[in-house]
Amino acid sequence: PHIAVKRDFGASLLIPIGFFSALRNLSDLSAGKIFVISGDKGSCNPDNFIGLSDPHIAVHGSFSLMVNFHAVNLYFLSRGGFALNATQEDTALQVNCYVLCGNKSTEDCISTMNGDIEMLNKKRKSQFPSLYHSYEEFINKFSPNDFFVIQKSLKEECVPSLASIVSLIKLSNWDPDIFFKFRDTILSKAPTAGPRLRNDLSHVTSKLWDHYYHLDNDKDIAFELGRLCYGLSLYQDALKYYEISVSIFGEHHVTHHNSGLCHFSLFEFHKASYFFNRALTLNPEYEKSITWLERVTKEMNST
């Protein structure tokens, strides 16, 4: 609907001209056909723009402003397209979908804007029932922001159980970043977990690694998965992840020390000795490797 604003209040509007310019360029390349998924902080409700005020500028290394998704809706409608909008307004991340079908000229579409905009949008999206129902199922019923709120509250507002963390990881579709956020709790509780939960965790490790993509040099997911496998007595799996960690992040004395622990647990004392020595080559004062090297030397001498 058109924005009806009392003169006494006025309105403050941000227009995403860069976004519109990019859309025009992309639509020119695709014969006017575009499907867009846009996730950002913003609003589709024109009532939120009432009142004269400076826009809020968020500073986070760079800076950002709220997105005027209502303007984006009107842009797509004016070009013969339609919008699928999130119904939840109190959200830090609003995910909307937009479609251009390339079936009308701009002039023809602008002439339709004098009618009921909501009805026009409803009519157009009804021609794509599968898309509409998928959006309702995967965005409006439980949105990315809903998941973010749950994982944040689980992390900051309570002491989560191991079972609840496993459920959250499954809900995230095995997101390694969620595992990394909760790794301290997982690693401390996994060794004393019951056999069924330990079995569930053993399946979690492979699923997490299947969904891993290297982006952040500060998050050694393979190393943490190795620690988890060691806590679950899955020593061969732990060695595999430690080897991957070295290949991605380079050698580290703790990684080699942990590999030595795995070989010791497998009664492979010569290999354990090699890794403890390797750890001490990188850090000659690492007490844990000094102690374990003495222990494994005694084992080798006694056999």
Side-chain angles (χ1 to χ4, degrees):
H2 295 292
I3 305 174
V5 180
K6 295 181 180 179
R7 292 189 178 185
D8 293 342
F9 295 104
S12 300
L13 302 174
L14 294 170
I15 307 298
I17 57 175
F19 184 41
F20 293 155
S21 176
L23 286 172
R24 282 193 295 268
N25 292 335
L26 290 172
S27 64
D28 289 342
L29 295 172
S30 60
K33 298 179 181 181
I34 293 181
F35 173 65
V36 178
I37 301 175
S38 178
D40 210 333
K41 58 178 184 178
S43 177
C44 296
N45 186 352
D47 292 340
N48 292 330
F49 308 131
I50 295 175
L52 297 175
S53 61
D54 292 332
H56 172 70
I57 300 176
V59 179
H60 40 70
S62 180
F63 70 92
S64 62
L65 301 166
M66 296 286 284
V67 179
N68 183 349
F69 282 119
H70 183 262
V72 179
N73 290 354
L74 296 179
Y75 175 82
F76 274 83
L77 283 166
S78 73
R79 297 195 58 186
F82 63 91
L84 298 170
N85 293 136
T87 55
Q88 184 177 353
E89 290 192 38
D90 184 18
T91 174
L93 178 66
Q94 190 170 98
V95 179
N96 300 296
C97 292
Y98 300 97
V99 176
L100 287 181
C101 303
N103 55 357
K104 286 190 177 182
S105 68
T106 302
E107 291 75 14
D108 291 339
C109 298
I110 291 177
S111 66
T112 66
M113 297 294 286
N114 295 322
D116 189 322
I117 294 175
E118 288 187 356
M119 287 299 298
L120 178 62
N121 191 60
K122 184 176 181 180
K123 177 181 177 181
R124 290 177 180 173
K125 69 185 180 183
S126 68
Q127 300 174 35
F128 297 82
S130 295
L131 174 61
Y132 171 73
H133 289 298
S134 294
Y135 179 81
E136 290 297 310
E137 179 71 22
F138 297 107
I139 300 298
N140 269 338
K141 280 189 177 181
F142 188 82
S143 71
N145 186 76
D146 293 325
F147 176 80
F148 172 76
V149 170
I150 289 176
Q151 67 94 7
K152 185 178 181 182
S153 64
L154 201 61
K155 178 70 175 176
E156 299 178 359
E157 299 175 10
C158 65
V159 179
S161 67
L162 192 54
S164 65
I165 295 175
V166 171
S167 296
L168 182 69
I169 290 174
K170 292 170 64 178
L171 186 61
S172 74
N173 195 29
W174 317 101
D175 185 352
D177 190 61
I178 298 299
F179 163 73
F180 193 83
K181 288 179 180 178
F182 290 90
R183 67 191 185 283
D184 291 337
T185 302
I186 296 173
L187 293 170
S188 65
K189 295 185 176 183
T192 58
R196 287 184 295 183
L197 185 52
R198 287 169 63 89
N199 190 49
D200 290 340
L201 284 169
S202 68
H203 294 298
V204 165
T205 57
S206 60
K207 290 281 190 179
L208 287 168
W209 190 248
D210 287 342
H211 289 76
Y212 174 75
Y213 185 82
H214 181 62
L215 291 173
D216 194 338
N217 287 328
D218 294 327
K219 295 180 179 179
D220 191 345
I221 301 295
F223 175 78
E224 302 298 344
L225 288 175
R227 294 175 67 199
L228 174 57
C229 288
Y230 179 80
L232 296 172
S233 301
L234 301 173
Y235 305 121
Q236 293 289 2
D237 290 337
L239 286 167
K240 177 187 70 174
Y241 290 119
Y242 289 141
E243 184 177 351
I244 294 171
S245 173
V246 171
S247 69
I248 296 175
F249 291 91
E251 292 186 291
H252 193 281
H253 66 278
V254 176
T255 309
H256 287 315
H257 173 81
N258 288 0
S259 296
L261 293 177
C262 292
H263 284 295
F264 186 90
S265 298
L266 292 168
F267 302 100
E268 298 171 347
F269 300 132
H270 288 281
K271 290 182 180 181
S273 176
Y274 168 80
F275 280 103
F276 292 139
N277 276 300
R278 188 64 191 152
L280 290 171
T281 300
L282 298 175
N283 185 355
E285 299 180 356
Y286 191 52
E287 292 290 341
K288 291 183 179 179
S289 287
I290 293 173
T291 302
W292 276 94
L293 182 58
E294 293 174 353
R295 182 174 176 180
V296 75
T297 301
K298 291 179 181 178
E299 291 288 345
M300 289 189 295
N301 291 335
S302 64
T303 57

